[in-house]
Amino acid sequence: MNSRASRVLMGLIAALPLLLWGCGRNSSSSNNPGSQNGQISMMVSDDPSNDWAIVGVTVLSVSLQPQGGGTPVVVFTAPTPAPILNLVELDQLAEIIGNASVPAGTYTGATLTLGANPGDVVLTASADPDPGFAGTAGATVPSSQIQIQGATGSAGSRTVPLSVTFDSPLVVTANQNNALDLEFDLSHPAFIVAHVPPASGQIMWAVNFNGPFRHRPIRDITRLVLRQIYGSFNSISADNSSISITRIFPTEPPQNPETFVASSQDLTILADKTNGTLFYDVDLHTHSTITSFNNMGGELNGKFLRVTARYQVDGSLVAVRIWASSSFNTVFVSPEGHVLHVLSSSLVVLGDAGDPVTVNVDNNTQFFFRTPSNGAADAKPICTGTACLTSLPIVRGFKVHVDVNPLQNSMPADTVDIEIATFGGSISSPGMNNFTYTRHFVDTADNYSLPMTYISSSTKNGADSLGNTIFGFKWWNFAFPTIVDSGTNAIPDFISATGGSVNFGGTVGVLPAVGASDAIWADSANPNGWSVRWAVLLPVPAPLASVTAPWVTTGNTGSFSIGIPNGTSVVVDANLAVGSATLVYQVDRQANGIITVSPQDLTTPAGLNNVASHLLGGTPVKVFGVPQISGSIKAYVFFYFTGTAPLS
């Protein structure tokens, strides 16, 4: 199970001059197919996974539902063949998959259609997964062992349609911008469920897209960290300020040499006329700083490009760095992925193919921290040389994209883009200025225990549900991402919330509070180091256990007890209230090996009765929750198993 909350973001941003933070501010607008169109950019993103190197999905189409009904408006159709997008590589990054012209009007929902045929979902385990991972390190799961829940259609044309109703309407009008965030949670316990039988039978992996899918607003597109964009050069604008490229997608899993899937989607990318765009001719091994594309035709014609870009407030894309080569494999070859190991003079990065790639760091290697909202900081290295590996520090779990010299066997790194600086683990010593994250891995050399400084109380940190700016540190429970604790009480509340633990005894012992955070560089609270903007308290995975005391309902809560052999019984508390109810799944494994994952709604009499009838003494249960001061565990989600019980 992943160490932290993970997501896939399908962001839709109308690329027009004025940005509206509240999608529903003009809710009186009606859909009018004859009115002006708004330009929409489609993106996907996700968070990290320690267990998986590839969670590949095939996005076939995206459509918007007009308010009041009517024909859905298709805003994205995949090229043929449809590319596979590796969700693990996105890690809170947005990957632009195309643009579309959308009729002005009001939209209240969206439908995302995924491929559900054998090969449309690719699962490859990490080379170094977390302890307890059910699969084989580095292995690709055969498609015959992947069962996609909710698939419809005939063989060869099976799909999973995923529909979501927006929290507030998306209004697309001329001369305005809108933002839409549709998320999966990659580490949601019900997303990828492994059923390990007690005998030596095949492990079956049930992939459940419908459970962890929701809508969340984007408050500020200028803070989105975009995954590096691949494209083929088309043209330079008449005023030399921008280039047009056709979007291309690297083949997943990667080939050697790497190939790509072409699309019909074009993107316009501006040069940074204020801070300068770094331009690398990978074939000639030269680089320069440009403020326009004047006289650049000879260096761009017939070339493949890799672009680090950022959004401006008006929705336009500005290039921070551009790499150009006549060979797509040459611009692709630079490793991208999560840091697996940090050594004295090298980084081991989990590459696209799921294999560990070692890149050497020398005294000329420049380290950048992506800061798209600040163009000057985004283009400036934060550190140079091997000392950066420990002085920053860099730890396992960071998401990086490394630029290397492909002609040298030693793989020296010219630049290291730190796209996401992720810290996490058990929480201890919470105080008013900092707290400590302690993290343990299979390879003990990756372990760390580091104090985390809160960002300054004067640092802007997103917005609340009303659009008001948040200043300083904020935190929330993974189960309730829209209920954010911010302001003057945020840190004292965080200190109180992280003081609980749960004790299973036996071979498991005590499970402490666990969290995860993303950090920023050089905040005023810590000018020469990392500061955490937020923390999310994660549902701790309890061991596979058995029910020791049956379900009891009391008002809007329910509870039961679980235990392990030679251990201590632990009370599990569940919420039955609409909007915040604990998620429950019934997992059935039939004699033929077919797994069915069925959600149970605790807010309905039928769902509640079904759960109560199954949670009897001896029923196998898997719980994910937050330890409480009382020693109980507040369940975010739990599974109970029928049919063939799992071994783990």
Side-chain angles (χ1 to χ4, degrees):
M1 182 52 60
N2 303 337
S3 64
R4 56 168 295 177
S6 296
R7 74 182 188 183
V8 177
L9 163 73
M10 178 64 70
L12 308 177
I13 299 173
L16 296 169
L18 179 64
L19 185 65
L20 291 183
W21 299 130
C23 294
R25 290 184 182 179
N26 293 325
S27 58
S28 61
S29 300
S30 61
N31 193 63
N32 181 3
S35 62
Q36 287 183 296
N37 290 348
Q39 193 70 18
I40 297 290
S41 297
M42 274 69 65
M43 298 174 294
V44 294
S45 78
D46 195 0
D47 277 358
S49 168
N50 288 315
D51 291 340
W52 298 104
I54 300 176
V55 177
V57 300
T58 307
V59 180
L60 299 178
S61 65
V62 182
S63 62
L64 300 178
Q65 180 60 53
Q67 187 177 53
T71 303
V73 177
V74 177
V75 295
F76 172 74
T77 300
T80 303
I84 291 177
L85 300 178
N86 183 5
L87 306 182
V88 176
E89 287 291 16
L90 297 177
D91 185 357
Q92 300 184 86
L93 309 180
E95 173 155 5
I96 300 174
I97 60 176
N99 290 328
S101 184
V102 177
T106 302
Y107 300 89
T108 56
T111 298
L112 178 73
T113 302
L114 303 176
N117 302 292
D120 285 343
V121 173
V122 178
L123 300 178
T124 299
S126 166
D128 191 6
D130 282 342
F133 178 64
T136 302
T140 297
V141 178
S143 59
S144 61
Q145 292 176 235
I146 300 174
Q147 296 177 358
I148 303 173
Q149 307 292 296
T152 62
S154 57
S157 301
R158 292 178 67 76
T159 62
V160 176
L162 301 175
S163 297
V164 64
T165 299
F166 301 154
D167 290 346
S168 56
L170 170 68
V171 181
V172 177
T173 56
N175 301 317
Q176 291 185 351
N177 251 320
N178 296 270
L180 173 64
D181 181 350
L182 305 180
E183 295 183 344
F184 291 99
D185 283 320
L186 185 58
S187 68
H188 188 294
F191 195 173
I192 303 175
V193 178
H195 196 289
V196 184
S200 57
Q202 283 187 336
I203 301 173
M204 300 302 296
W205 300 88
V207 180
N208 180 35
F209 291 109
N210 276 290
F213 187 56
R214 62 175 183 261
H215 169 227
R216 180 186 292 171
I218 299 174
R219 302 297 181 187
D220 186 353
I221 60 171
T222 67
R223 294 184 178 275
L224 285 175
V225 180
L226 299 177
R227 192 185 185 194
Q228 292 188 355
I229 301 166
Y230 295 96
S232 56
F233 172 74
N234 287 331
S235 61
I236 299 175
S237 64
D239 62 359
N240 297 311
S241 65
S242 66
I243 56 174
S244 171
I245 67 172
T246 297
R247 189 73 173 87
I248 59 179
F249 299 91
T251 302
E252 292 285 356
Q255 312 296 309
N256 187 16
E258 175 65 335
T259 59
F260 62 87
V261 177
S263 77
S264 59
Q265 301 290 341
D266 293 338
L267 294 176
T268 297
I269 300 177
L270 294 161
D272 190 335
K273 62 182 180 181
T274 302
N275 306 291
T277 295
L278 294 174
F279 181 83
Y280 301 85
D281 189 316
V282 184
D283 296 333
L284 298 178
H285 302 290
T286 61
H287 68 272
S288 58
T289 301
I290 61 173
T291 55
S292 78
F293 294 99
N294 186 36
N295 298 321
M296 293 287 293
E299 297 177 84
L300 292 171
N301 287 328
K303 297 295 182 67
F304 296 99
L305 307 179
R306 174 163 56 92
V307 183
T308 299
R310 57 183 173 83
Y311 269 117
Q312 297 191 111
V313 172
D314 63 2
S316 59
L317 286 169
V318 173
V320 180
R321 288 183 287 284
I322 299 175
W323 292 263
S325 174
S326 57
S327 163
F328 176 71
N329 184 69
T330 302
V331 294
F332 172 81
V333 74
S334 294
E336 175 190 13
H338 292 96
V339 173
L340 276 181
H341 308 293
V342 180
L343 307 176
S344 60
S345 60
S346 62
L347 286 173
V348 181
V349 178
L350 186 63
D352 280 86
D355 55 330
V357 179
T358 299
V359 292
N360 291 321
V361 174
D362 60 28
N363 290 332
N364 297 314
T365 302
Q366 293 182 314
F367 290 79
F368 295 82
F369 178 66
R370 292 301 318 279
T371 314
S373 60
N374 184 332
D378 207 23
K380 182 180 179 181
I382 63 172
C383 190
T384 301
T386 56
C388 302
L389 297 173
T390 54
S391 64
L392 290 178
I394 295 176
V395 301
R396 175 169 172 163
F398 275 34
K399 175 65 170 56
V400 299
H401 203 143
V402 184
D403 182 44
V404 300
N405 185 341
L407 299 182
Q408 295 188 27
N409 294 330
S410 61
M411 295 282 281
D414 292 330
T415 62
V416 177
D417 267 7
I418 302 171
E419 295 172 322
I420 300 293
T422 299
F423 297 89
S426 60
I427 297 171
S428 63
S429 305
M432 291 301 297
N433 297 314
N434 55 47
F435 64 95
T436 297
Y437 271 138
T438 300
R439 189 73 191 277
H440 296 284
F441 298 93
V442 174
D443 187 337
T444 58
D446 299 325
N447 294 351
Y448 62 83
S449 184
L450 295 170
M452 297 284 108
T453 302
Y454 307 114
I455 60 171
S456 168
S457 59
S458 62
T459 298
K460 292 183 178 180
N461 195 14
D464 62 19
S465 59
L466 299 177
N468 300 314
T469 300
I470 292 175
F471 291 89
F473 176 75
K474 60 186 179 183
W475 69 276
W476 63 94
N477 283 304
F478 176 76
F480 308 107
T482 60
I483 304 177
V484 175
D485 193 328
S486 61
T488 56
N489 291 326
I491 293 176
D493 290 347
F494 178 74
I495 294 172
S496 298
T498 53
S501 64
V502 58
N503 188 357
F504 278 90
T507 58
V508 175
V510 176
L511 299 180
V514 172
S517 300
D518 284 347
I520 60 175
W521 182 258
D523 179 69
S524 59
N526 190 10
N528 298 307
W530 301 110
S531 300
V532 294
R533 297 185 298 118
W534 48 259
V536 53
L537 298 187
L538 301 180
V540 176
L544 182 69
S546 298
V547 174
T548 57
W551 175 275
V552 176
T553 301
T554 306
N556 278 335
T557 63
S559 64
F560 60 102
S561 296
I562 60 175
I564 61 172
N566 302 315
T568 303
S569 288
V570 172
V571 175
V572 178
D573 295 318
N575 194 337
L576 313 183
V578 175
S580 58
T582 298
L583 304 177
V584 183
Y585 295 88
Q586 178 175 312
V587 181
D588 306 295
R589 183 184 174 111
Q590 303 171 20
N592 59 5
I594 298 297
I595 297 175
T596 303
V597 181
S598 305
Q600 305 296 315
D601 189 351
L602 290 179
T603 66
T604 66
L608 187 59
N609 289 336
N610 193 52
V611 170
S613 67
H614 282 90
L615 289 184
L616 305 174
T619 300
V621 178
K622 181 74 174 179
V623 177
F624 298 79
V626 177
Q628 302 295 292
I629 295 291
S630 63
S632 65
I633 184 167
K634 183 178 181 181
Y636 166 55
V637 61
F638 66 83
F639 302 81
Y640 60 87
F641 299 86
T642 70
T644 303
L647 179 64
S648 65

